[in-house]
Amino acid sequence: MTIEEFVKLRDYIYRKTGIYFEEKKLYYVEKRVKARMRAVNLDNFRTYFAWMRFDLSGCELQELLNALTVNETYFFREYQQLRCFAEEVLPEILQSKNGQHPKRVRLWSAGCSTGEEAYTLAIIMREMTKGLPVTWEIHATDLNTDVLEQAKKGLYGGRAVKDVPDVYLARYFRRVGEQFEVHPELRHQILFYRLNLLDRENMRKMADFDAIFCRNVLIYFDDASRREVALYFYDALRKGGFIFLGHSESMSRITPIFRLRKFKEAIIYQK
Amino acid sequence: MKDSQVKKLMDTLSFHPEERERYYAAFDLCGFPQDDVVEYLVKRLGEEKSRPVQEAIVTTLITIGTEAVVKGCAELLRSEDAYVRNAAVEIMRLLQRTSLGVARKLLRDPDPDVRLFAVDVLGELKVKEAVELLRRVVEEDENINVVAAAVEYVGEMGLRSEDREAVEKVRERFSDPFLEYAVEEALRKMEV
């Protein structure tokens, strides 16, 4: 793939999704494009690119995006932040709902990939609200339809569950050969669906969330798109709602509209 | 049809009592990148009281990204409101190539505060042409604050021997401990 071809493809993907691949990613992109070309029996980039663009169903673009956006993740990733959610943020959310019966909590795992974060949140919610008059739901979205399919299956290898405390492993997973299957009850409490974070129409429908987890996702966006997504998140949160970013990410560098809250072991942004 | 849609969105953004309605009217105006819309948004940014709505306007201006946006932002650099001035710098930073020419003109503005913002914009651009312009500020500008800011950015981005020489020479034009410190820092960074 020449640099001109890369730029052409990169700009096209950017226009369609807001995801931006820097030039240092040329080999990463090339490898995955070649795999797609092999899959559809095309051996010339120009032909492939033209074919993908004129494929009105959008299927090939989706396949290519699936190949380009697979991220490794695991249960209980960035543990301190999750503990902050469980022990400090969630009680505050529940406190703010005094007078509501039952208290209804809505969480969103944005860019959920293969679902580890969404299931982790489901485990936390079950543990922390046991015996309380609380109902909750978790929305888990991703652009990549392949990872969403995997997430719905809820079947994981040993690496993904390496940080799950033993007691939760026993309580929420079933061993299937070398793999671990998430308890069906947890699976039923999560709504997995495809969502492009830059899809204006659909992002506006996302509303009334108490917390959004969007960890290590915005790094794929350029500055302008990152701003746009952050503002959609702002609108999707209820007043006082929280947004959790990856621990090396900063909302202050994106937009000043969120308030910075310092908790014992984590810094979280709040509407 | 298009005009009536624009008018409706502008009316909503100007007068609707609900913040959320104004917020999305600001977003939706990005579908109409003509100069009169840009002019309106730039003006509205200075008048709007809600920070989220202001941020939506900023996002739309970045998305539109034309020369008219950068020119409008150049005017906002004169605003009394610190948020508005910073937003203008941010927009110009993100509109890199378009901003370069406008920032170059602002370096000749009689107001040193405006020149200082132009230096900030150039310093954030991280492109070769910006470093050259900043070096010229270091060599020629008469205002110590403007020069000190340019020295700082050249220290961060300058890689060539001319950059180093320009920073060293600035001591001959000004004798001031504040500037001396900026020069030392810049030279140290350029050594790394």
Side-chain angles (χ1 to χ4, degrees), chain B residues 132-151:
Chain B
E132 282 164 17
L133 289 170
L134 288 168
R135 193 175 64 231
R136 213 173 303 155
V137 172
V138 172
E139 289 166 343
E140 295 169 5
D141 201 286
E142 293 302 320
N143 182 285
I144 189 166
N145 292 324
V146 177
V147 171
V151 163

Side-chain angles (χ1 to χ4, degrees), chain B residues 57-77:
Chain B
I57 295 172
V58 169
T59 303
T60 289
L61 286 169
I62 293 166
T63 309
I64 291 176
T66 55
E67 199 177 336
V69 172
V70 177
K71 283 184 178 159
C73 288
E75 286 309 306
L76 290 179
L77 296 177

Side-chain angles (χ1 to χ4, degrees), chain A residues 200 204 223 227 231 235 255, chain B residues 20 23-24 28 55 59:
Chain A
R200 187 169 301 166
R204 283 183 200 190
D223 286 347
R227 266 190 79 85
L231 293 192
D235 184 52
T255 165
Chain B
R20 192 167 189 265
Y23 188 78
Y24 278 118
D28 289 341
E55 282 292 286
T59 303

Side-chain angles (χ1 to χ4, degrees), chain A residues 105-161:
Chain A
V105 178
R106 277 162 61 85
L107 305 178
W108 176 10
S109 170
C112 68
S113 190
T114 37
E116 288 87 336
E117 179 179 76
Y119 287 122
T120 300
L121 292 174
I123 293 172
I124 292 173
M125 289 307 292
R126 278 183 82 105
E127 290 294 320
M128 301 303 290
T129 62
K130 215 176 269 178
L132 298 175
V134 174
T135 63
W136 50 271
E137 62 187 60
I138 296 173
H139 292 242
T141 67
D142 204 284
L143 179 71
N144 184 327
T145 48
D146 284 351
V147 292
L148 285 169
E149 281 312 307
Q150 284 184 51
K152 283 178 197 166
K153 280 184 194 145
L155 209 54
Y156 298 93
R159 268 172 71 90
V161 297

Side-chain angles (χ1 to χ4, degrees), chain B residues 10-56:
Chain B
M10 283 178 173
D11 284 347
T12 305
L13 180 52
S14 294
F15 305 115
H16 206 288
E18 298 273 332
E19 184 184 75
R20 192 167 189 265
E21 293 296 323
R22 300 203 304 282
Y23 188 78
Y24 278 118
F27 268 121
D28 289 341
L29 279 166
C30 80
F32 307 94
Q34 60 258 30
D35 289 0
D36 58 330
V37 172
V38 169
E39 203 179 311
Y40 164 77
L41 286 168
V42 167
K43 188 166 167 277
R44 191 72 215 138
L45 181 63
E47 294 165 351
E48 175 60 52
K49 296 286 178 258
S50 149
R51 187 54 44 88
V53 179
Q54 283 181 311
E55 282 292 286

